[in-house]
Amino acid sequence: MLVCARREERLLELDAELKAAGAADAHHFLLDVSKRSEVEAAIAGLPAEWAEIDVLVNNAGLSRGLAKVYEDDPDNWEEMIDTNIKGLLYVTRQVVPGMVARGRGHVINMGSTAGYITYANGAVYCATKAAEKAISEGLKIDLMGTPVRVTSVDPGMVETEFSAVRFRGDEAKAAKIYENITPLQPEDIADAIVWAAGRPAHVNIHTILLTTIDQANSFTFSRRG
Ligand code: 8X3
């Protein structure tokens, strides 16, 4: 399995985890998907034995802040748009031509319930996920006539570093988000990805929209107590 991200210590841990879980081999490289020239060079420069990517999971993404558009810091927008939209596009642009040429491949994009219904103070994050939805739909159309599949996996609230990143390390604020509900776990999302990728070659799963039992949509939750 080939993985890339910005934090090498995480990648080293993941390599070991993947091998322990039975991956035939694991390789990683450092990448910030928001940097177009880095994406182009890194993917073009992959060692031959890792260059043929069959399943691309566009997982990189983040939210920054919860604020009104007319009061927000535009730096937050740049970071979200550069990673969640442009990063996904840059990587896709580099990887998908090889899939088409080889006659096999699957692009799995991480969407969100935020792409369906905009929530208060989240306009730009929600816009990036609405863009992901549109790009996934458009890419599927572009790939008609090829065997390359496109899936959007669209979770609601998942207990990850997502909220700590949104609130720039304010763990107390982040914990509030998951208070008195049972959020999805990263493994729930991984299961959905593996399931979509494991369907027979003629089956394209377009969208998997999943939430915890305690969430109905972007802003309707059942909190205990
Ligand atoms: C993550 C879902 O509702 O926390 O994309 O923004 S939400």
Side-chain angles (χ1 to χ4, degrees):
M1 187 178 287
L2 179 64
V3 287
C4 63
R6 293 169 302 172
R7 291 173 291 188
E8 180 141 53
E9 68 285 1
R10 295 290 178 92
L11 291 169
L12 289 167
E13 275 171 30
L14 194 54
D15 276 359
E17 243 181 79
L18 289 168
K19 284 182 189 153
D25 203 355
H27 179 71
H28 73 255
F29 58 100
L30 288 176
L31 187 64
D32 178 345
V33 298
S34 70
K35 307 273 186 310
R36 180 174 157 191
S37 55
E38 278 181 29
V39 171
E40 290 170 356
I43 296 175
L46 281 172
E49 64 274 28
W50 290 102
E52 297 193 355
I53 297 167
D54 287 332
V55 180
L56 166 64
V57 180
N58 277 316
N59 179 62
L62 81 167
S63 65
R64 280 296 192 200
L66 265 181
K68 294 182 194 297
V69 168
Y70 67 87
E71 294 172 350
D72 203 359
D73 178 349
D75 284 348
N76 290 336
W77 310 338
E78 309 272 14
E79 206 177 347
M80 290 188 280
I81 291 168
D82 287 357
T83 305
N84 303 4
I85 306 178
K86 290 160 79 176
L88 179 149
L89 286 169
Y90 298 152
V91 176
T92 301
R93 178 66 184 88
Q94 281 306 111
V95 173
V96 171
M99 292 178 168
V100 173
R102 289 186 295 277
R104 62 174 193 274
H106 193 163
V107 180
I108 302 181
N109 292 328
M110 289 307 303
S112 170
T113 46
Y116 294 71
I117 304 179
T118 303
Y119 52 79
N121 299 316
V124 177
Y125 176 71
C126 293
T128 67
K129 291 301 176 178
E132 177 281 334
K133 192 167 178 284
I135 292 165
S136 297
E137 287 169 7
L139 181 63
K140 181 69 192 92
I141 297 167
D142 295 343
L143 286 165
M144 291 306 290
T146 82
V148 179
R149 301 187 288 182
V150 182
T151 300
S152 181
V153 175
D154 303 344
M157 196 174 280
V158 188
E159 192 170 26
T160 62
E161 289 176 310
F162 179 86
S163 295
V165 169
R166 164 166 265 167
F167 299 122
R168 295 191 182 273
D170 186 334
E171 296 287 349
K173 226 168 165 181
K176 274 246 164 251
I177 299 285
Y178 308 115
E179 202 171 63
N180 296 328
I181 65 162
T182 305
L184 291 175
Q185 294 301 312
E187 292 74 14
D188 299 319
I189 313 310
D191 273 353
I193 292 170
V194 169
W195 180 79
R199 294 310 86 217
H202 70 287
V203 178
N204 191 99
I205 304 297
H206 289 244
T207 305
I208 300 177
L209 171 60
L210 68 164
T211 67
T212 159
I213 193 71
D214 296 330
Q215 177 173 12
N217 59 36
S218 273
F219 52 77
T220 308
F221 294 90
S222 165
R223 292 190 191 266
R224 290 179 296 279

